[in-house]
Amino acid sequence: MKLIPIGSKQIAFVRYDDQASQMHIQYHTGHTHTCCDVLPEHYQRLLQSPNPYDLLMQMTSDKAWCPPQA
């Protein structure tokens, strides 16, 4: 898994699992949110973004891609 640090008060980092095509958002609270069917291109965009937090918020606004978890 590959880690992307997110300079945020809420989100510590994002982990990308290319084998499962999943992105795991790790919050400072310890909670992890999993997004499914994440393409490698999405991960690359996040890696190359000058503002990964804003891009992550934009990407996760699609509820079909990143459904709410209980």
Side-chain angles (χ1 to χ4, degrees):
M1 284 197 197
K2 303 162 188 166
L3 296 177
I4 302 172
I6 304 292
S8 162
K9 293 178 183 177
Q10 299 169 342
I11 300 172
F13 59 88
V14 171
R15 224 175 25 234
Y16 180 66
D17 181 349
D18 55 351
Q19 297 293 320
S21 297
Q22 292 180 336
M23 186 168 61
H24 306 275
I25 303 168
Q26 181 67 48
Y27 293 87
H28 288 291
T29 62
H31 176 76
T32 302
H33 189 89
T34 302
C35 299
C36 303
D37 300 323
V38 178
L39 299 174
E41 298 85 55
H42 293 127
Y43 170 73
Q44 286 300 319
R45 280 184 52 211
L46 201 55
L47 267 179
Q48 297 170 352
S49 174
N51 190 339
Y53 177 78
D54 284 348
L55 181 57
L56 182 63
M57 293 300 99
Q58 180 184 16
M59 292 167 75
T60 58
S61 67
D62 182 358
K63 301 300 181 201
W65 183 61
C66 200
Q69 296 177 334

